[in-house]
Amino acid sequence: MNQAIHFKTSMFDVSKEKENPINPIHGLSLLEWLRKKLEGKIEITEPEAEDWGWYSELEYEGGNYLIGACAFFEKGDDPTLEIEWVFQVHKYRSLKEKLLGKNKMTTSDSCFQFFKGLLDQEPGIKEVEVA
């Protein structure tokens, strides 16, 4: 199960993002910002398009994760205003872990808490909520 963080920010100009070839959903700029901000600390893969937005993968404290982002922005919206975002964290688990109900993704997961803390501390990011 994915865990999601909702927030608002005007830090990213989504109108300048590369187009998502699968579905016209924005979110690339958040993942690119995270890659740059965490460079040398956490290796995050180049963002890829998905039908629900954009995603990257990473390893955190021995676990493998997918992080995803999408912005609620439509053509004609003002990209300089605060935009609502959803950032999600998904933990990859083995078949055995899934069958035994082990190592489930929760909001107390260290990777989830790391990214929530990062977003909480960023002055340009507001109304950070776990959903």
Side-chain angles (χ1 to χ4, degrees):
M1 173 181 217
N2 299 340
Q3 296 298 326
I5 301 168
H6 295 253
F7 62 91
K8 292 182 179 181
T9 189
S10 58
M11 287 175 51
F12 312 110
D13 184 351
V14 296
S15 67
K16 294 181 179 174
E17 287 184 2
K18 174 174 69 172
E19 185 177 326
N20 182 324
I22 301 168
N23 203 356
I25 298 176
H26 299 278
L28 175 63
S29 52
L30 172 62
L31 296 177
E32 288 178 333
W33 175 77
L34 286 169
R35 285 184 79 216
K36 194 174 291 184
K37 186 169 185 72
L38 299 172
E39 191 172 10
K41 298 174 188 168
I42 297 174
E43 187 176 329
I44 299 174
T45 64
E46 181 103 17
E48 296 285 336
E50 183 53 86
D51 63 350
W52 46 259
W54 293 82
Y55 75 94
S56 291
E57 295 173 306
L58 63 116
E59 184 179 325
Y60 187 84
E61 295 182 351
N64 294 309
Y65 294 85
L66 175 145
I67 54 174
C70 68
F72 293 101
F73 179 84
E74 295 181 7
K75 190 174 184 177
D77 289 350
D78 184 347
T80 64
L81 298 177
E82 283 188 348
I83 297 170
E84 185 177 345
W85 288 78
V86 176
F87 176 77
Q88 62 179 314
V89 180
H90 170 80
K91 180 191 297 185
Y92 290 118
R93 299 186 303 151
S94 69
L95 178 59
K96 183 178 178 180
E97 288 173 324
K98 290 177 184 177
L99 290 173
L100 297 175
K102 305 246 179 188
N103 204 20
K104 291 182 180 180
M105 182 66 196
T106 66
T107 57
S108 63
D109 182 90
S110 61
C111 183
F112 182 85
Q113 285 298 312
F114 172 80
F115 282 106
K116 182 178 181 309
L118 195 71
L119 296 171
D120 278 334
Q121 293 172 12
E122 186 60 44
I125 295 178
K126 301 175 177 131
E127 299 179 34
V128 179
E129 296 178 7
V130 174

